[in-house]
Amino acid sequence: MKTDTTQAIIARMKPEQLPVAEHRLHGWTHFAGLYAGEHVAATEFVIGATFVALGATTTDILIGLLIGNILAVLSWTLITAPIAVQTRLSLYTYLEKIAGDSMTSLFNWANVLIFTVISAAMITVSSTAVRLLFNIPAQLQWYPTNSLFVAVVLAVGAIVVVVAMYGFDAVAEFSGLCGPWLVVMFVSGALVLFPALAESVLGRTRLDSLAEFITIGDRSIWTGVNSQGEPGIGLLEVIGFAWAANTLTHFGLIDMALLRYAKRSIYGLCTSAGMLFGHYIAWIAAGIMGAGTAVLLKSTIAELDPGDVAFRALGYSGYVIVIVAGWTTANANLYRAGLAAQAIFHNHSRMKVTATVGVITVLVACFPFVFSQMLPLLTYAGLLVVPVGAIVFAEHFIFPRIGLTRYWAHYRNLTHSTPAVASWAAGLLFGFGLQALNVISFFYLFLPTWAFTIVLYTLLARSYGAAETYPAEEAADRELSGAVKKMQDRQAISDGQPVVDTTMLSKVLGGLAWTSLGLTLILALVVMFSSPDMITYDKNVAIFHRWGFVFTIIYFASSYWALRRGKSARGAGVNSAIAS
C-alpha cells in the first residue's frame, strides 16, 4: 500500500472508526465510576421486585447473586476487555473487519433498536418520579394520556441526549459523579425501611442477629413462593439470572465500546463496581425497600412503582434517585446506540448521529409501554447478540492459535461473509430451539449457544478462505496501523498533557462531597439501630428524610463544582502546552 493511499484512507475515516489513541486512555477510576453509575439504576427497583415475584429464598438471593455477579465480572475481564484493549475498537467497527458490510449493517441496526428502547425505558422511569412531583396521573396505557407527562419526558430526555452526544468522557464523568451517591442511597433506603419489616415479623424494630435477618427475609421478602403461590426459583436460577442479565454487553462484546478506552484489560474488574455494588447490593436493597413500603402502605410489592418505593424510603431524595438512576443507564445505552448508528452512517459524525437517535429515543420514551416490556427485551436481546460475540471471539482468539487467518474476509474484500451470517442465523435457531424444547434453564441458554456458534463459524470460515495466507494484505494492514499510530502521536503532542487540579478549594469540595455521603449513611444507621419502637422510628425517619435531602444537594453541588474546576485545569494545561 502506497503512503499517499494510506493517508487518503485515514482521511476518509471518522474518529470513532479509528483505534483509540494512547493519550485518550483512562485509568481504573473512570471505569469504576462508569459501571457503578450505569448498573445502580432505576431498573434495580424492578428487578429487586422480580426476585420477590419469582419466589427466591433469602439464602438463595444472598449466595446466588454473589456467585452470578462474580461470574459476570469475570466474563467482562476475560472475554470483553482483552479484545477491546488489543483492538482499541468498538464492536461495531471491529465486526465490519471480520464479517463484512452486510452482516455488520444488520447487526448495527439491531443494536440501534435495542439500545434506543432501553434508553427510552430509562427516560420513562426517570419521568415517573417527576410525574409524582406534579401530581400527573399514572400512565397505564401504552400511549401517553397526559400532555404534561409528555413535557416532562421531553425535558428529562433532553439532558440524556446532550450528555450522550458529548461522548465517552461526558458519560464517564456523569456516571462517576452519580455512582457513589447512588450506592449510598440504595443502602440507606434498605436500612431505613428494614425496621418496619422487623416490626411486622418479629413485633419489634430491632434486629439482633443474622439469623433474624434470614427469618425476616424468608417471611416477608424472599419467601420461596412465587406470585402464583407455587414454589419459586432455586439457587441455580438465581446464579443464572445474575450472570445472564448482562450477556448483551460481556459475552455479546457490546462493552468493547467502553473498555477500548482502558489502559489495561485488567480494568475489566472495575465492572465489579456495577455488579457487586449495583446488582448485588442494589437488588437486595430494592427488595427490602419494596417489601418495607408494601408493609407501611398495606399494599403488595407488585402494586408499587419505583417512585412510590423510593419516596417512602428516602423522602425527596427518592425522587432524585429515580431520576438520576434512569439518567445514568440511559446515557450509556444511548452512547452505544449512537456508536452503532454511526457505524451505519459513516459519512456523519457520531455527535450528529447520536443527536438524531436521541430525538427518536425521547419520542419513544413518551409511550409508557417501553418500560413494561424492558425485561423481556433484555432477555431476548442477550440471546440475539451472543452468537455475534462468539464469532468475534473465535476470529480474534482462536483463529491465530489454530493456524487460521484473522480478518480473512477483509483481506478478500468480501462485503458479505457467508460463514458469519450463517453462523449467526444458526446460533439463533440453536438457542431459541433449546428454549422451545426446554432443555435447560433459559438463564443458561447463552452458554451452549456461544459454544455452538464458535465451532460452526470456525469450520465454515476454514472452508471459505480462513485457512489461506494473505501476506501482502497483512503488510498493508500493518502499514495502515503504523500510519494511524504516527498521526495519533502527533495529536497527543498538540493536545498536551492533562493537568490535575490540586488546589485547596478542590480538596475542600471533594471532602465536602464525601462527608455528605458519610453523614447520610450515619443517619440511615441511626434509623436502623436506634429506633426501639415505631414512634421513635417515625421520628428518626423524618430526620433522615429532611437532612438526607440537604446532604444530597450538598453532594451534587460540591461534586459538580469540583468536576468543573478539574476540567478548567485540564483546559488550561492544554492551552499552555500548545503555547509552548
Side-chain angles (χ1 to χ4, degrees):
M1 183 184 296
K2 296 181 180 180
T3 302
D4 55 347
T5 305
T6 301
Q7 296 301 328
I9 293 174
I10 295 174
R12 291 196 301 269
M13 298 175 73
K14 297 295 182 182
E16 292 295 339
Q17 295 175 269
L18 296 173
V20 174
E22 187 174 351
H23 69 284
R24 296 185 61 202
L25 302 181
H26 294 278
W28 68 269
T29 54
H30 274 266
F31 298 95
L34 182 68
Y35 279 97
E38 180 183 356
H39 293 284
V40 185
T43 47
E44 317 319 340
F45 287 103
V46 179
I47 295 176
T50 298
F51 283 115
V52 176
L54 290 175
T57 67
T58 305
T59 301
D60 289 343
I61 287 292
L62 295 178
I63 298 175
L65 289 185
L66 180 61
I67 296 173
N69 283 303
I70 289 175
L71 290 173
V73 170
L74 292 176
S75 299
W76 267 299
T77 306
L78 300 178
I79 297 174
T80 314
I83 300 177
V85 169
Q86 290 169 25
T87 64
R88 298 295 180 196
L89 296 172
S90 69
L91 175 63
Y92 315 110
T93 301
Y94 194 43
L95 184 62
E96 185 174 3
K97 196 172 183 179
I98 289 176
D101 292 338
S102 57
M103 176 174 169
T104 302
S105 296
L106 181 62
F107 178 74
N108 287 335
W109 275 117
N111 277 277
V112 171
L113 176 62
I114 291 169
F115 291 119
T116 294
V117 175
I118 293 174
S119 299
M122 290 296 92
I123 293 172
T124 305
V125 171
S126 294
S127 300
T128 61
V130 182
R131 172 187 70 78
L132 296 173
L133 291 174
F134 292 99
N135 293 318
I136 301 172
Q139 303 296 292
L140 302 178
Q141 303 296 325
W142 66 269
Y143 54 87
T145 58
N146 186 283
S147 58
L148 187 55
F149 175 77
V150 174
V152 167
V153 172
L154 295 178
V156 171
I159 298 175
V160 173
V161 174
V162 170
V163 173
M165 281 174 57
Y166 282 92
F168 178 84
D169 287 344
V171 172
E173 287 171 352
F174 188 80
S175 296
L177 186 151
C178 298
W181 179 81
L182 287 169
V183 172
V184 168
M185 297 310 288
F186 264 95
V187 172
S188 297
L191 292 173
V192 166
L193 287 185
F194 201 83
L197 284 174
E199 202 278 335
S200 68
V201 175
L202 304 176
R204 51 184 166 83
T205 58
R206 301 290 291 271
L207 185 69
D208 295 331
S209 66
L210 177 62
E212 289 186 347
F213 174 84
I214 301 295
T215 298
I216 293 170
D218 285 340
R219 291 186 185 178
S220 62
I221 311 174
W222 306 286
T223 61
V225 177
N226 64 24
S227 56
Q228 285 77 42
E230 300 174 352
I233 61 175
L235 177 63
L236 289 179
E237 285 79 11
V238 174
I239 293 173
F241 189 109
W243 192 9
N246 288 100
T247 49
L248 184 70
T249 53
H250 49 70
F251 268 77
L253 299 181
I254 295 297
D255 269 4
M256 283 177 63
L258 304 180
L259 291 169
R260 61 186 171 140
Y261 287 90
K263 290 182 178 179
R264 298 189 300 167
S265 61
I266 196 66
Y267 290 177
L269 292 175
C270 294
T271 57
S272 59
M275 294 301 99
L276 300 184
F277 287 100
H279 285 187
Y280 186 67
I281 292 177
W283 284 353
I284 293 173
I288 294 173
M289 284 191 280
T293 301
V295 166
L296 293 173
L297 296 180
K298 295 180 173 56
S299 179
T300 64
I301 194 170
E303 297 172 339
L304 303 172
D305 67 20
D308 295 325
V309 174
F311 178 73
R312 195 69 183 183
L314 302 168
Y316 287 114
S317 295
Y319 292 137
V320 180
I321 195 174
V322 175
I323 295 171
V324 168
W327 275 346
T328 53
T329 303
N331 285 333
N333 285 294
L334 185 55
Y335 174 68
R336 294 184 180 108
L339 284 177
Q342 199 274 332
I344 298 170
F345 301 102
H346 295 298
N347 296 325
H348 299 275
S349 69
R350 187 201 57 79
M351 182 175 287
K352 291 181 179 179
V353 172
T354 302
T356 303
V357 174
V359 170
I360 297 172
T361 298
V362 175
L363 293 177
V364 173
C366 294
F367 295 84
F369 81 93
V370 293
F371 176 63
S372 63
Q373 298 301 315
M374 183 180 173
L375 290 180
L377 170 71
L378 288 176
T379 301
Y380 291 107
L383 199 57
L384 177 69
V385 173
V386 160
V388 178
I391 291 169
V392 174
F393 179 88
E395 182 126 357
H396 187 86
F397 280 122
I398 297 177
F399 279 23
R401 289 168 171 78
I402 61 174
L404 300 185
T405 301
R406 189 191 287 172
Y407 316 140
W408 63 274
H410 171 66
Y411 295 152
R412 295 173 71 92
N413 294 317
L414 298 179
T415 58
H416 175 81
S417 171
T418 299
V421 175
S423 298
W424 187 14
L428 293 177
L429 289 174
F430 180 80
F432 286 105
L434 290 180
Q435 180 194 8
L437 296 174
N438 197 25
V439 176
I440 62 174
S441 170
F442 180 81
F443 301 126
Y444 292 99
L445 285 177
F446 71 95
L447 288 173
T449 300
W450 187 71
F452 170 81
T453 308
I454 287 175
V455 173
L456 179 60
Y457 177 69
T458 301
L459 294 175
L460 290 177
R462 178 188 292 273
S463 63
Y464 272 79
E468 300 177 20
T469 59
Y470 306 87
E473 289 79 1
E474 289 178 343
D477 218 22
R478 288 193 295 270
E479 181 182 341
L480 179 61
S481 298
V484 170
K485 179 68 166 57
K486 290 179 180 179
M487 179 195 70
Q488 292 175 335
D489 288 342
R490 291 193 297 269
Q491 183 65 41
I493 295 174
S494 65
D495 285 349
Q497 295 299 316
V499 177
V500 179
D501 183 12
T502 57
T503 61
M504 181 58 67
L505 179 57
S506 295
K507 293 180 180 179
V508 170
L509 290 171
L512 186 60
W514 286 105
T515 299
S516 64
L517 292 183
L519 292 174
T520 300
L521 192 58
I522 289 172
L523 287 176
L525 290 169
V526 169
V527 176
M528 174 74 176
F529 295 106
S530 298
S531 301
D533 52 64
M534 289 303 292
I535 295 176
T536 307
Y537 169 74
D538 289 337
K539 291 180 180 179
N540 288 339
V541 169
I543 293 172
F544 170 81
H545 284 176
R546 180 169 61 252
W547 284 102
F549 186 58
V550 171
F551 293 141
T552 289
I553 296 173
I554 293 173
Y555 173 79
F556 280 105
S558 57
S559 295
Y560 179 75
W561 192 4
L563 178 63
R564 296 303 303 172
R565 285 183 59 81
K567 290 178 72 67
S568 297
R570 288 192 291 273
V574 170
N575 292 333
S576 175
I578 293 174
S580 62

